[in-house]
PDB file of all heavy atoms in Angstrom:
ATOM      1  N   SER A 269      91.045  98.652  -9.796  1.00  0.00           N
ATOM      2  CA  SER A 269      92.293  97.773  -9.413  1.00  0.00           C
ATOM      3  C   SER A 269      93.063  97.435 -10.545  1.00  0.00           C
ATOM      4  O   SER A 269      94.204  97.101 -10.528  1.00  0.00           O
ATOM      5  CB  SER A 269      91.897  96.578  -8.593  1.00  0.00           C
ATOM      6  OG  SER A 269      91.101  95.863  -9.347  1.00  0.00           O
ATOM      7  N   PHE A 270      92.527  97.622 -11.828  1.00  0.00           N
ATOM      8  CA  PHE A 270      93.175  97.239 -12.999  1.00  0.00           C
ATOM      9  C   PHE A 270      93.933  98.342 -13.576  1.00  0.00           C
ATOM     10  O   PHE A 270      94.965  98.155 -14.297  1.00  0.00           O
ATOM     11  CB  PHE A 270      92.127  96.712 -14.112  1.00  0.00           C
ATOM     12  CG  PHE A 270      91.312  95.543 -13.582  1.00  0.00           C
ATOM     13  CD1 PHE A 270      89.943  95.728 -13.373  1.00  0.00           C
ATOM     14  CD2 PHE A 270      91.771  94.290 -13.459  1.00  0.00           C
ATOM     15  CE1 PHE A 270      89.109  94.695 -12.881  1.00  0.00           C
ATOM     16  CE2 PHE A 270      91.067  93.210 -12.995  1.00  0.00           C
ATOM     17  CZ  PHE A 270      89.767  93.463 -12.763  1.00  0.00           C
ATOM     18  N   GLY A 271      93.460  99.575 -13.475  1.00  0.00           N
ATOM     19  CA  GLY A 271      94.113 100.695 -13.997  1.00  0.00           C
ATOM     20  C   GLY A 271      93.163 101.943 -14.087  1.00  0.00           C
ATOM     21  O   GLY A 271      92.290 102.233 -13.253  1.00  0.00           O
ATOM     22  N   GLN A 272      93.137 102.569 -15.292  1.00  0.00           N
ATOM     23  CA  GLN A 272      92.204 103.700 -15.610  1.00  0.00           C
ATOM     24  C   GLN A 272      91.251 103.376 -16.686  1.00  0.00           C
ATOM     25  O   GLN A 272      91.718 102.592 -17.665  1.00  0.00           O
ATOM     26  CB  GLN A 272      93.039 104.904 -15.994  1.00  0.00           C
ATOM     27  CG  GLN A 272      94.094 105.428 -14.953  1.00  0.00           C
ATOM     28  CD  GLN A 272      93.541 106.109 -13.736  1.00  0.00           C
ATOM     29  OE1 GLN A 272      92.209 106.341 -13.742  1.00  0.00           O
ATOM     30  NE2 GLN A 272      94.382 106.520 -12.811  1.00  0.00           N
ATOM     31  N   HIS A 273      90.065 103.874 -16.528  1.00  0.00           N
ATOM     32  CA  HIS A 273      88.963 103.549 -17.540  1.00  0.00           C
ATOM     33  C   HIS A 273      88.506 104.863 -17.970  1.00  0.00           C
ATOM     34  O   HIS A 273      88.073 105.861 -17.163  1.00  0.00           O
ATOM     35  CB  HIS A 273      87.915 102.643 -16.929  1.00  0.00           C
ATOM     36  CG  HIS A 273      88.508 101.399 -16.341  1.00  0.00           C
ATOM     37  ND1 HIS A 273      88.405 100.178 -16.973  1.00  0.00           N
ATOM     38  CD2 HIS A 273      89.066 101.201 -15.085  1.00  0.00           C
ATOM     39  CE1 HIS A 273      88.962  99.282 -16.111  1.00  0.00           C
ATOM     40  NE2 HIS A 273      89.464  99.850 -15.037  1.00  0.00           N
ATOM     41  N   PHE A 274      88.064 105.020 -19.279  1.00  0.00           N
ATOM     42  CA  PHE A 274      87.184 106.019 -19.808  1.00  0.00           C
ATOM     43  C   PHE A 274      85.907 105.370 -20.265  1.00  0.00           C
ATOM     44  O   PHE A 274      86.017 104.268 -20.963  1.00  0.00           O
ATOM     45  CB  PHE A 274      87.886 106.801 -20.889  1.00  0.00           C
ATOM     46  CG  PHE A 274      88.960 107.570 -20.506  1.00  0.00           C
ATOM     47  CD1 PHE A 274      90.234 107.125 -20.292  1.00  0.00           C
ATOM     48  CD2 PHE A 274      88.879 108.976 -20.286  1.00  0.00           C
ATOM     49  CE1 PHE A 274      91.255 107.834 -19.886  1.00  0.00           C
ATOM     50  CE2 PHE A 274      89.835 109.818 -19.861  1.00  0.00           C
ATOM     51  CZ  PHE A 274      91.092 109.206 -19.639  1.00  0.00           C
ATOM     52  N   VAL A 275      84.740 105.995 -19.921  1.00  0.00           N
ATOM     53  CA  VAL A 275      83.540 105.225 -20.186  1.00  0.00           C
ATOM     54  C   VAL A 275      82.549 106.136 -20.957  1.00  0.00           C
ATOM     55  O   VAL A 275      82.571 107.371 -20.840  1.00  0.00           O
ATOM     56  CB  VAL A 275      82.799 104.734 -18.932  1.00  0.00           C
ATOM     57  CG1 VAL A 275      83.532 103.741 -18.149  1.00  0.00           C
ATOM     58  CG2 VAL A 275      82.476 105.930 -18.020  1.00  0.00           C
ATOM     59  N   TYR A 276      81.717 105.441 -21.854  1.00  0.00           N
ATOM     60  CA  TYR A 276      80.620 106.130 -22.698  1.00  0.00           C
ATOM     61  C   TYR A 276      79.311 105.445 -22.390  1.00  0.00           C
ATOM     62  O   TYR A 276      79.214 104.329 -22.843  1.00  0.00           O
ATOM     63  CB  TYR A 276      81.029 106.058 -24.140  1.00  0.00           C
ATOM     64  CG  TYR A 276      80.109 106.870 -25.115  1.00  0.00           C
ATOM     65  CD1 TYR A 276      80.618 108.195 -25.506  1.00  0.00           C
ATOM     66  CD2 TYR A 276      78.852 106.400 -25.505  1.00  0.00           C
ATOM     67  CE1 TYR A 276      79.761 108.941 -26.295  1.00  0.00           C
ATOM     68  CE2 TYR A 276      78.110 107.221 -26.240  1.00  0.00           C
ATOM     69  CZ  TYR A 276      78.489 108.488 -26.693  1.00  0.00           C
ATOM     70  OH  TYR A 276      77.728 109.207 -27.485  1.00  0.00           O
ATOM     71  N   ILE A 277      78.586 106.125 -21.622  1.00  0.00           N
ATOM     72  CA  ILE A 277      77.205 105.548 -21.367  1.00  0.00           C
ATOM     73  C   ILE A 277      76.313 105.795 -22.401  1.00  0.00           C
ATOM     74  O   ILE A 277      75.803 106.963 -22.698  1.00  0.00           O
ATOM     75  CB  ILE A 277      76.591 106.179 -19.965  1.00  0.00           C
ATOM     76  CG1 ILE A 277      77.673 106.104 -18.826  1.00  0.00           C
ATOM     77  CG2 ILE A 277      75.388 105.370 -19.503  1.00  0.00           C
ATOM     78  CD1 ILE A 277      78.175 104.737 -18.405  1.00  0.00           C
ATOM     79  N   SER A 278      75.743 104.738 -23.017  1.00  0.00           N
ATOM     80  CA  SER A 278      74.878 104.949 -24.152  1.00  0.00           C
ATOM     81  C   SER A 278      73.338 104.706 -23.667  1.00  0.00           C
ATOM     82  O   SER A 278      72.440 105.225 -24.353  1.00  0.00           O
ATOM     83  CB  SER A 278      75.169 103.947 -25.256  1.00  0.00           C
ATOM     84  OG  SER A 278      75.095 102.625 -24.722  1.00  0.00           O
ATOM     85  N   GLU A 279      73.139 104.013 -22.588  1.00  0.00           N
ATOM     86  CA  GLU A 279      71.799 103.851 -22.141  1.00  0.00           C
ATOM     87  C   GLU A 279      71.703 103.597 -20.648  1.00  0.00           C
ATOM     88  O   GLU A 279      72.562 102.932 -20.050  1.00  0.00           O
ATOM     89  CB  GLU A 279      71.135 102.543 -22.899  1.00  0.00           C
ATOM     90  CG  GLU A 279      69.737 102.280 -22.500  1.00  0.00           C
ATOM     91  CD  GLU A 279      69.191 101.017 -23.148  1.00  0.00           C
ATOM     92  OE1 GLU A 279      69.973 100.216 -23.500  1.00  0.00           O
ATOM     93  OE2 GLU A 279      67.917 101.052 -23.271  1.00  0.00           O
ATOM     94  N   ARG A 280      70.760 104.203 -19.984  1.00  0.00           N
ATOM     95  CA  ARG A 280      70.529 104.103 -18.614  1.00  0.00           C
ATOM     96  C   ARG A 280      69.053 103.715 -18.321  1.00  0.00           C
ATOM     97  O   ARG A 280      68.168 104.523 -18.831  1.00  0.00           O
ATOM     98  CB  ARG A 280      71.013 105.282 -17.734  1.00  0.00           C
ATOM     99  CG  ARG A 280      70.598 105.109 -16.326  1.00  0.00           C
ATOM    100  CD  ARG A 280      70.966 106.398 -15.492  1.00  0.00           C
ATOM    101  NE  ARG A 280      72.329 106.454 -15.180  1.00  0.00           N
ATOM    102  CZ  ARG A 280      73.222 107.403 -15.664  1.00  0.00           C
ATOM    103  NH1 ARG A 280      72.654 108.406 -16.385  1.00  0.00           N
ATOM    104  NH2 ARG A 280      74.389 107.292 -15.442  1.00  0.00           N
TER     105      ARG A 280
END
Side-chain angles (χ1 to χ4, degrees):
S269 59
F270 304 108
Q272 302 283 359
H273 307 258
F274 289 82
V275 296
Y276 187 100
I277 310 297
S278 58
E279 182 183 27
R280 176 180 284 119

